Amino acid sequence: MKKRLIVGLSGASGAPLAIDLLRAMEEQEDWEVHLVYSDGFVRSLASESAVDVDQLRAMAAVTYDNRDLGASIASGTYVTQGMIIIPCSMKTVAGIASGYSENLLLRAADVTIKEQRKLVLVPRESPLSPIHLKNLLWLSQIGVRILPPVLGYYTNADTIEALTRQVVGRCLQEFGIQVSGFQRWREGE
Ligand SMILES: Cc1cc2nc3c(=O)[nH]c(=O)nc-3n(C[C@H](O)[C@H](O)[C@H](O)COP(=O)(O)O)c2cc1C
């Protein structure tokens, strides 16, 4: 049976990160993506990419309706290897930090925490307010991995696509997933 990764997409800027992560996961033969996205993500996708939501859905093994709180990923008995939310809005950060699971994306994150599975957030906002920082700190303290999409200048990447792949590679490394084009510091020296 393939390993399951829940991929949540929310309404922060950074839709190209989501697209590239789904592309990278298509290379992984022993993994399947369980996709859930918010209305906010659809809006940011439209303003940041020519890719449409149907193309993203085609890259996932299963796509869920964010309103469907009875979906499999809403239950801890449905086994997954964890969840990544990329990009992750401050609203979604707040919902997870407070346990306010009003949609499936938030519920799946809540379940991931309660089952002590790996949850990786790729939060995007600038500047970060004390509210954002407090929520992120709390989540970090309970074991959630916080990976803001920072630029890895040290790789000397010369395109936005290459920088994006660095962020995606770093995120998927959290699950032991190796992606093409990802450069580790000093590897191969
Ligand atoms: C074009 C656009 C860009 C946005 N960028 C961000 C962002 O970078 N970070 C953020 O926290 N919210 C951002 N927002 C606001 C969120 O989309 C908004 O708070 C939304 O309610 C988030 O809901 P969701 O987390 O359920 O997707 C943006 C909104 C729009 C329309």
Side-chain angles (χ1 to χ4, degrees):
M1 199 173 73
K2 291 190 177 191
K3 291 180 269 190
R4 299 170 180 144
L5 178 67
I6 305 173
V7 176
L9 316 176
S10 72
S13 179
L17 293 166
I19 298 165
D20 193 56
L21 182 126
L22 290 170
R23 284 192 180 130
M25 287 304 293
E26 278 191 308
E27 299 169 8
Q28 308 299 322
E29 287 180 1
D30 47 349
W31 284 84
E32 60 183 29
V33 166
H34 291 247
L35 180 67
V36 58
Y37 56 85
S38 68
D39 291 343
F41 174 75
V42 177
R43 188 169 174 176
S44 71
L45 181 69
S47 59
E48 296 182 336
S49 172
V51 172
D52 68 34
V53 85
D54 289 336
Q55 290 171 274
L56 295 190
R57 295 171 70 101
M59 293 186 223
V62 189
T63 304
Y64 302 91
D65 182 334
N66 200 26
R67 293 161 301 183
D68 183 9
L69 289 163
S72 53
I73 57 171
S75 170
T77 59
Y78 191 74
V79 177
T80 74
Q81 304 303 307
M83 178 173 187
I84 178 164
I85 305 181
I86 178 169
C88 188
S89 78
M90 291 303 121
K91 180 205 142 189
T92 287
V93 167
I96 299 167
S98 60
Y100 186 66
S101 301
E102 59 140 10
N103 60 40
L104 182 62
L105 193 156
L106 289 169
R107 171 64 184 166
D110 199 30
V111 166
T112 302
I113 292 170
K114 88 181 171 73
E115 297 299 330
Q116 299 186 346
R117 297 173 187 149
K118 180 162 272 198
L119 177 60
V120 174
L121 304 184
V122 184
R124 195 270 161 207
E125 188 51 282
S126 184
L128 290 161
S129 78
I131 297 170
H132 305 150
L133 290 164
K134 190 175 161 204
N135 285 334
L136 289 167
L137 175 62
W138 165 238
L139 288 172
S140 175
Q141 285 170 334
I142 62 168
V144 175
R145 298 284 280 163
I146 311 294
L147 271 77
V150 296
L151 303 178
Y153 291 109
Y154 58 85
T155 62
N156 294 314
D158 53 4
T159 63
I160 293 176
E161 289 73 22
L163 283 168
T164 301
R165 180 49 65 112
Q166 281 303 117
V167 172
V168 164
R170 179 70 192 81
C171 292
L172 290 178
Q173 200 178 32
E174 291 288 320
F175 296 92
I177 298 171
Q178 315 295 326
V179 304
S180 59
F182 174 56
Q183 206 180 318
R184 281 171 206 82
W185 176 243
R186 301 198 112 161
E187 192 174 72
E189 277 183 12

